[in-house]
């Protein structure tokens, strides 16, 4: 499929997730087959003040392959200026956040609050499209709440304003991330617009991705929480949709090698002290299901250095492997995996 003039090679993309989809995680997911990735959300208003932390969210130096930079805000002119500045950094496109359900975002009229005024959604898309000269995508929710499911209407308005694709998360704002995603809403959006539609919600493996595509007719799937501690989900989706091959879960050594490589990239991107603070949640996700995971996750909550992480990884390997072979096995597996 194409998003505007951009050809997308692959059936699954990495969804934007605040505090998660930094350059390191995007690169790891891309290495495992993500067709494209999307940044953490960037405040258009904060860009007006040249905020240093905001600028860091737009750093593309760790990326391989197409990446969209996502912005949020509620004022068309401010969003357009931010998009124009971000376009100069070299992203594949700009993604507009109209789906974040968190109160600190919706309280300012941004995120999924925009879906209460679909006309404003169109004004924002038109302003960004005119300002950036890049493909523009929009990420929506099903609607504000169960009584106001208006994703098809909002998607049509965004298409008319110039959006090149629309992504739909099949939950309403008041659901947050609870319950099942309503794939029927995604199907309704696909039937309402002519631009590509990307389906999002409850994709955790290859069969789930296949079911979403079959039930909705959407053009591509987007994986969010299903990739947490599980970046090889993109390998599994690609195999299932390409050859109907059901790849087994990764072995313990591959999981630990990927974990260490991911954390190493985070340290290169942000420096060890900050990276290790942010790594704690990632480490807990990677360790899910490993023998002795509860104690390992407890230790992960206090990680401060890569040396501490290495000790934890070795203990995890010894606890989970039937015949522990020592740290040299991790090096061998790293060469095969990454």
């Amino acid at each position: 499929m194409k998003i505007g003039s951009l050809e997308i090679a692959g059936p699954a993309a990495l969804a934007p997730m605040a505090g998660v989809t930094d350059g390191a995680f995007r690169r790891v997911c891309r290495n495992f087959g993500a067709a494209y990735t999307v940044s953490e959300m960037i405040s258009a208003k904060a860009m007006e003040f040249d905020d240093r932390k905001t600028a860091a969210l737009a750093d593309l130096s760790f990326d391989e392959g197409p990446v969209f930079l996502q912005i949020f805000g509620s004022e068309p002119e401010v969003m357009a200026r931010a998009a124009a500045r971000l376009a100069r950094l070299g992203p594949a496109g700009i993604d507009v956040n109209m789906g974040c359900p968190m109160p600190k975002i919706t309280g300012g009229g941004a995120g999924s609050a925009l879906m209460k005024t679909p006309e404003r959604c169109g004004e924002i898309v038109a302003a960004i499209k005119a300002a950036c000269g890049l493909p523009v995508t929009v990420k929506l929710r099903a609607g504000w709440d169960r009584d106001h499911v208006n994703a098809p209407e909002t998607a049509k308005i965004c298409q008319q304003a110039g959006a090149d694709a629309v992504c739909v998360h099949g939950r309403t704002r008041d659901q947050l991330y609870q319950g099942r995603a309503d794939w029927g809403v995604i199907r309704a959006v696909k039937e309402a617009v002519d631009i590509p539609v990307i389906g999002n919600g409850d994709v955790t493996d290859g069969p789930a991705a296949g079911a979403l595509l079959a039930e909705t007719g959407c053009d591509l799937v987007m994986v969010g929480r299903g990739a947490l501690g599980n970046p090889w989900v993109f390998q599994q989706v690609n195999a299932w949709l390409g050859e109907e091959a059901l790849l087994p879960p990764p072995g313990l050594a591959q999981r630990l090698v990927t974990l260490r490589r991911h954390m190493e990239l985070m340290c290169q991107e942000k420096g060890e002290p900050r990276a290790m603070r942010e790594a704690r949640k990632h480490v807990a996700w990677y360790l899910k299901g490993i023998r002795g995971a509860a104690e390992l996750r407890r230790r992960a909550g206090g990680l401060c250095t890569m040396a501490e992480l290495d000790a934890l990884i070795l203990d995890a390997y010894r606890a989970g492997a039937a015949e522990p072979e020592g740290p040299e096995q991790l090096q061998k597996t790293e060469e095969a995996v990454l």
Side-chain angles (χ1 to χ4, degrees):
M1 60 169 277
K2 285 189 173 182
I3 298 178
S5 60
L6 177 67
E7 186 168 345
I8 303 298
L14 174 66
M17 291 178 280
V20 175
T21 54
D22 56 13
F25 189 55
R26 296 195 302 265
R27 182 168 176 175
V28 170
C29 289
R30 176 67 179 169
N31 287 344
F32 278 105
Y36 73 90
T37 63
V38 187
S39 73
E40 302 174 70
M41 57 182 177
I42 299 167
S43 168
K45 185 165 288 186
M47 289 189 66
E48 299 271 278
F49 302 101
D50 294 318
D51 179 71
R52 181 172 55 85
K53 292 182 179 179
T54 299
L57 295 175
D59 181 4
L60 301 178
S61 60
F62 280 79
D63 286 277
E64 297 177 348
V67 56
F68 279 63
L69 292 176
Q70 187 188 75
I71 56 174
F72 75 93
S74 60
E75 302 167 274
E77 300 82 4
V78 175
M79 295 280 274
R81 287 193 295 269
R85 291 182 61 180
L86 292 175
R88 293 194 288 270
L89 301 178
I94 300 296
D95 185 64
V96 188
N97 185 321
M98 298 184 182
C100 179
M102 304 313 294
K104 67 179 181 179
I105 303 299
T106 59
S112 56
L114 288 170
M115 296 189 70
K116 294 192 288 186
T117 54
E119 296 78 11
R120 173 58 64 92
C121 295
E123 293 169 2
I124 288 173
V125 170
I128 290 174
K129 187 68 178 177
C132 74
L134 293 173
V136 174
T137 59
V138 176
K139 194 165 192 298
L140 303 171
R141 283 225 160 199
W144 177 251
D145 56 33
R146 296 173 186 175
D147 296 324
H148 300 89
V149 175
N150 65 341
E153 172 195 351
T154 306
K156 287 181 69 174
I157 290 174
C158 289
Q159 173 183 266
Q160 293 164 0
D164 295 289
V166 60
C167 177
V168 184
H169 183 142
R171 290 180 174 85
T172 57
R173 186 276 318 172
D174 60 350
Q175 281 184 273
L176 297 179
Y177 300 97
Q178 304 301 313
R180 293 287 300 172
D182 183 355
W183 289 356
V185 175
I186 301 172
R187 183 175 60 250
V189 171
K190 178 61 181 174
E191 293 169 351
V193 300
D194 299 318
I195 55 177
V197 174
I198 302 159
N200 179 217
D202 298 337
V203 176
T204 56
D205 54 26
L212 175 58
L213 289 169
E215 290 186 27
T216 68
C218 67
D219 301 278
L220 185 139
V221 299
M222 184 165 275
V223 185
R225 290 176 299 148
L228 299 179
N230 184 35
W232 40 83
V233 67
F234 295 101
Q235 272 187 342
Q236 296 172 326
V237 170
N238 292 346
W240 181 259
L241 296 179
E243 303 173 2
E244 293 191 353
L246 186 61
L247 294 185
L252 176 61
Q254 180 180 356
R255 291 176 66 175
L256 296 177
V257 164
T258 304
L259 160 60
R260 194 188 191 287
R261 176 58 175 159
H262 183 177
M263 299 307 102
E264 184 179 46
L265 287 171
M266 285 185 67
C267 288
Q268 292 174 14
E269 181 182 11
K270 303 175 181 182
E272 187 172 11
R274 177 184 168 190
M276 296 312 297
R277 290 194 300 272
E278 296 183 12
R280 295 166 184 169
K281 58 180 179 287
H282 286 282
V283 175
W285 291 326
Y286 276 105
L287 295 176
K288 184 177 180 181
I290 290 178
R291 187 183 304 167
E295 173 60 21
L296 293 169
R297 286 197 301 268
R298 185 194 65 76
R299 286 172 56 187
L303 286 173
C304 295
T305 67
M306 281 295 292
E308 292 174 350
L309 175 64
D310 285 340
L312 187 151
I313 286 174
L314 184 56
D315 287 346
Y317 187 78
R318 287 171 172 165
E323 297 180 4
E325 300 176 67
E328 67 277 1
Q329 179 63 31
L330 296 180
Q331 179 63 38
K332 293 178 182 178
T333 308
E334 181 174 14
E335 295 173 1
V337 174
L338 294 176

